Amino acid sequence: ENGYELWLRYYKIDDAAILQQYRNNISSIQFTSSTPTLLAAKEELLNGLQGLLDKKITEQNLITNGCILVGTSSDPVIHSIISSNFFSKAGKEGYVIQTVTTNQKKVIVIAGNTEVGALYGCFAFLRLLQTHQNIQNLSIVSAPRIQLRMLDHWDNVNRTIERGYAGMSIWNWHKLPDYIDKRYKDYARANASIGINAVALNNVNANAIMLTKDYLIKVAALAEVFRPYGIKVYLSAKFSAPVEIGGLKTADPLDAQVQNWWKQKADEIYTYIPNFGGFLVKANSEEQPGPQTYNRTHADGANMLADALAPHGGIVIWRAFVYSNENTDDRFKQAYNEFKPFDGKFRNNVLIQVKNGPIDFQPREPFHPLFGAMPHTPLVMEFQLTQEYLGFSTHLVYLAPLFKECLDADTYEQGKNSTVSKVIDGSSEDHKLTGMAAVANIGSDIDWTGHPFAQANWYAFGRLAWDHELSAAQIADEWIRQTFTNIQHAVDTIKNIMLASREITVDYMTPLGLHHIMGYSHHYGPAPWYNAAQRADWNPVYYHKADSLGIGFDRTATGSNALAQYAPEARKQFQDLHTCDEKYLLWFHHVEWNYKMHSGRSLWDELCYKYYAGADSVKWMQQQWNSLKGFIDDERFEQVQMLLTIQQKEAVWWRNACVLYFQTFSRMPLPKGFEQPAKNLEYYESLQFPYAPGISGNQ
Ligand code: BDP
C-alpha cells in the first residue's frame, strides 16, 4: 500500500455478513448508452464491484434481479421507473440512487439528468460499499450546493510547484501532448469521485507562455482526458501576455488593440479546447502586472477578459488577494478597500475569488470581511490544501475543521445566520454562478500529497464543495473507511487524531490569535523575531506586535480599525476584549501580559499553557497512532509514524522558540512545573531551516 490509489481502493470486503449482503444484491450491470462519460462510469463501477465483491459482474441487456441500471433521466426505462420528482431535486449534476422493483425484479438505479450526474452516482454508490453501508433499500438524491468545485494548481512550466511539498508537478509539459501519463486519468477519477469539476493547471504567478499555441495543444490533451470525468480546464492568465507573447506595447485593458488581442486569444483557445473553462487571474498583487499598472481598475481588467470569453461561455475568476507595496495600511484591510467599491461593476461572467481569511491561509484566521460585503458579485471561496503555513507535508493536520469554521462563520449580512457558506453557495444573494476553490496539494510523489493524511484534505475539500453541510467528522469517517479500514476501533482512533489535529497545530504554532510568525519566505518553522524583510507586512513582528506591555494586533477603533469592515453584529463578536472568542483574541487586540483570561490564568501563562499543551498533544497523537499497529498496513503505518516523529520534534521547536522569544517581552517566568526549553533563544534564532521547497525561483 503506497497510497497511490487514494480513497479509490477496491479490495475485497473483509466483513463476511456485509459481503454476503452485497453479493446478494448485486449481480450485473446495465448501462443505457456508451458515451465517453458513461464508459468511464462503467469502467469504474465494474472495477470497483469486482474488486470489492470479489466476484464476476456481468453486463446485461435484460433487467434481472440484482441488476444495477445506470443512465440518464432521458432514458425511457429509467424515466418510467424513477419519479421525476427525484430528478428535479438532482439538478444538472446531481444523482439519484434508488432500489426499485420493476416486473418483479429488484434493481438498483443510478442515474442523473446528465451523464456526469450518473458518473457521480456510480462513485457515490461505490463509496457506500467501501464504507459498508446497508444497500438493501436505497433512496438517495444528492445535488451539489456549489457549481464550480475547483482545484487551483500553483504549478510552474518547469514542473516546480509554488508552495508544493509533494514532489514535482504531475503535468509533464515536455512529453505532452503525445504522451498521456496514466496519472492524468487517475487524477480525473479521484476528482470526479468527490465532484471536483474544474482545475486551473498553472500557477497564479503565471507564465504567459501557457497561452501560446505550443502549450495550448498540450493543455488540450489534458482537457481531453478530463472531459469524460466532467472536469473543465482553466488557465491562470498573465495580464501582461499581450506584451510578452503578443508583441504589443501595452496591456492596458482599455486599449482597443489589447482588447482585440484577448478576443483572438480566446477564440484560438476554444478551437483547441472547446469546453475551456476560462481564466484565473492574479493581478496587481505581489509584483504581478494588472490593470492598475495602466491606471485602470480591477473591474476594467476583469471585464475586458470577460468580454473576450463571453462568446464562448467562458468565465473569469479574478482574485482578491491583493495588497500593495505603497499602501502602508493594515494588510488585513487592503483587499476589502480595493474590491468593495467595485461591487456590482463586474460583468456577469466574472467571479471574485477571496481567500478564507484576510491575511494568508494561517492556521487560524477570522473570515474574510469581503464575505457578505459584495452582495452584487459572486464570490468564490479560496482555501489552501497545500500546507504552506501548516507544516508542509510533514505535519498531520486535517483541514476540514478549518474549512468548516470559515463556512459556518456568521457575516450577519442579512441578520443572524447569514453564514459565509450562504454567501458562497449563492443562496443569500441569489447568484447564478457559484464556486469554491482550493490550492492543490498534489505532486508527483507516489501517494500524490506527500503525507498520507494530506490526501484527506483534498478529499474533504471536494466533499465540502459538494455539500458544505457535511461535518468534518462525517467526512473523516468516510475517508478513513475508504482509505484505511472499516474496523470500528481503528476508525475511531484515526478520526480522533484527525479531528484534534488542527487545533493542536494552532496551539503549538499560533495560539490565541497569533498569526504569520513563521519563517520568512518559506513559512516553515517559528521565526517570531524576524524583522528584516523588505516589506513591513512580510515580517512576523508586524503581526504579533509584542512589547513590554503585551502582545497582539489592535484592529479595533483604537488601532487599525479593520473591524469596521465587518457588519456591526459580526464586528461585535470580536471588538470587545472581554467577549472576543479567545481563539481570535490577538488577531484583534493588543492585550496586556497580565490580562486575566477566561481560564483565570494571565495571558502570559495561558500562552505558555497553549504552547505546551500543543506540543504535548502531538505525543498523544503518536501514542494513538502507535496503538494502530496491525490494524492497518505496515507501509503506511510506518510512514505516518516517522512523520509524526518529525511533527513532535518540530512542535517542541515551535513551543520553545516562541515561549523564549515572547518571554523577552513579558519578562515573566514559565508557569510552575513547565519544562524549561532545552536550549536558549539564541540557539533557536540561529536555526536555519536547511532547505525549504516550494517558492518558485528558488529551486
Ligand atoms: C501566498 C504565497 C504565495 C502566493 C500567494 C498567492 O506565499 O506564494 O503566490 O499567496 O496566493 O500564500 O497569490
Side-chain angles (χ1 to χ4, degrees), residues 178-223:
D178 297 320
Y179 185 84
I180 302 297
D181 195 314
K182 173 181 181 306
R183 277 212 171 207
Y184 304 150
K185 181 169 156 188
D186 290 332
Y187 167 85
R189 289 173 53 231
N191 279 333
S193 76
I194 47 177
I196 288 172
N197 63 0
V199 298
L201 298 176
N202 59 321
N203 193 353
V204 286
N205 294 320
N207 188 331
I209 204 176
M210 286 302 298
L211 300 176
T212 60
K213 182 183 169 191
D214 288 348
Y215 277 85
L216 291 175
I217 292 169
K218 296 169 189 284
V219 171
L222 289 174

Side-chain angles (χ1 to χ4, degrees), residues 471-685:
S471 72
Q474 271 169 287
I475 297 171
D477 195 278
E478 284 177 3
W479 177 80
I480 296 163
R481 290 174 189 278
Q482 294 173 88
T483 309
F484 283 113
T485 176
N486 273 280
I487 299 169
Q488 192 61 46
H489 148 78
V491 172
D492 291 340
T493 305
I494 300 173
K495 197 165 31 176
N496 288 340
I497 295 174
M498 288 172 76
L499 290 175
S501 62
R502 186 271 185 133
E503 208 59 45
I504 290 171
T505 308
V506 169
D507 283 350
Y508 67 72
M509 286 187 181
T510 53
L512 302 177
L514 285 173
H515 49 285
H516 218 306
I517 57 173
M518 295 75 188
Y520 170 66
S521 180
H522 53 64
H523 301 154
Y524 198 84
W529 48 80
Y530 195 81
N531 195 16
Q534 72 261 42
R535 299 173 55 117
D537 54 11
W538 284 350
N539 285 317
V541 298
Y542 172 93
Y543 295 99
H544 64 67
K545 301 209 184 304
D547 57 24
S548 61
L549 299 177
I551 180 170
F553 200 130
D554 181 2
R555 293 189 164 105
T556 67
T558 55
S560 79
N561 205 20
L563 272 173
Q565 297 184 334
Y566 290 108
E569 284 297 312
R571 190 184 313 156
K572 256 198 200 155
Q573 306 171 92
F574 307 121
Q575 78 184 356
D576 181 344
L577 167 64
H578 303 285
T579 52
C580 176
D581 188 331
E582 288 179 354
K583 292 194 297 220
Y584 297 105
L585 191 65
L586 306 180
W587 265 101
F588 297 110
H589 300 276
H590 190 73
V591 185
E592 290 181 13
W593 293 113
N594 264 323
Y595 176 77
K596 194 163 169 200
M597 303 289 285
H598 297 322
S599 63
R601 299 182 194 104
S602 67
L603 170 66
W604 166 250
D605 280 1
E606 185 78 5
L607 195 67
C608 295
Y609 176 84
K610 290 281 182 195
Y611 272 115
Y612 277 79
D616 287 347
S617 300
V618 182
K619 281 197 197 129
W620 168 83
M621 288 165 74
Q622 289 181 291
Q623 286 155 5
Q624 294 297 301
W625 185 257
N626 288 341
S627 76
L628 294 167
K629 188 161 175 58
F631 288 96
I632 61 168
D633 56 285
D634 287 343
E635 193 172 347
R636 289 182 298 170
F637 173 79
E638 278 161 23
Q639 267 184 330
V640 174
Q641 201 175 40
M642 289 187 284
L643 289 162
L644 282 171
T645 305
I646 301 177
Q647 186 169 1
Q648 199 273 326
K649 277 194 216 159
E650 295 189 345
V652 172
W653 170 30
W654 266 96
R655 178 196 77 187
N656 290 349
C658 292
V659 162
L660 287 176
Y661 170 72
F662 291 130
Q663 193 175 37
T664 64
F665 298 98
S666 80
R667 307 195 166 276
M668 293 160 105
L670 289 181
K672 270 216 188 76
F674 280 30
E675 167 198 346
Q676 190 61 31
K679 303 269 172 50
N680 62 16
L681 178 60
E682 289 65 43
Y683 168 80
Y684 294 107
E685 286 185 356

